[in-house]
Amino acid sequence: MNLGLLGTALAMGIAALGSAIGIGIAGQASIGAWKKCYMNNKAAPFILTVFAGAPLTQTIYGFLLMQQLKASSADPAFLFGIGIASAVAMAFSAIFQGKAGAAGADALAETGKGFSQYITVVGLCETVALFALVFSMVALS
């Protein structure tokens, strides 16, 4: 078996797994926040979908990394290692982005304030995945 190809496939798969978990966490919180709004006869802010959908981008980063790994002629063990390490970083970024988004959705629905602060924290979580992608691509060149 070619370890490089395995690392290539896992780069996408692990990142997507993290996205799914993060979206599930933030999505559940958004639904709960909407429920609270409805129960209190308040408008349910559609903007909460931003928090729920934010972890999806790590799947895209995993795909981009997968394409770079596939095109690389580097040592298969290196491709395997960088694929796994980067994908795990992306997955954790998505999971914790989902947790931050969940807190943001709850707070925004309750107060109606603070969206820019909450989305900033969500964006900081995103930065970890971007760094993993960019630094991995630099290492491959």
Side-chain angles (χ1 to χ4, degrees), residues 28-48:
Q28 289 174 38
S30 295
I31 290 169
W34 284 323
K35 176 187 151 197
K36 279 196 251 180
C37 288
Y38 292 135
M39 290 177 66
N40 293 317
N41 292 318
K42 289 174 44 181
F46 185 74
I47 197 80
L48 299 186

Side-chain angles (χ1 to χ4, degrees), residues 13-79:
I14 293 170
L17 181 62
S19 286
I21 293 168
I23 289 167
I25 292 167
Q28 289 174 38
S30 295
I31 290 169
W34 284 323
K35 176 187 151 197
K36 279 196 251 180
C37 288
Y38 292 135
M39 290 177 66
N40 293 317
N41 292 318
K42 289 174 44 181
F46 185 74
I47 197 80
L48 299 186
T49 56
V50 171
F51 294 122
L56 183 60
T57 54
Q58 281 82 342
T59 299
I60 296 166
Y61 304 150
F63 174 76
L64 293 172
L65 181 59
M66 179 183 72
Q67 295 301 329
Q68 285 292 123
L69 290 167
K70 206 165 82 170
S72 178
S73 59
D75 179 75
F78 177 72
L79 295 176

Side-chain angles (χ1 to χ4, degrees), residues 82-97:
I82 204 163
I84 295 285
S86 297
V88 167
M90 291 175 195
F92 274 90
S93 167
I95 292 165
F96 284 98
Q97 188 176 46

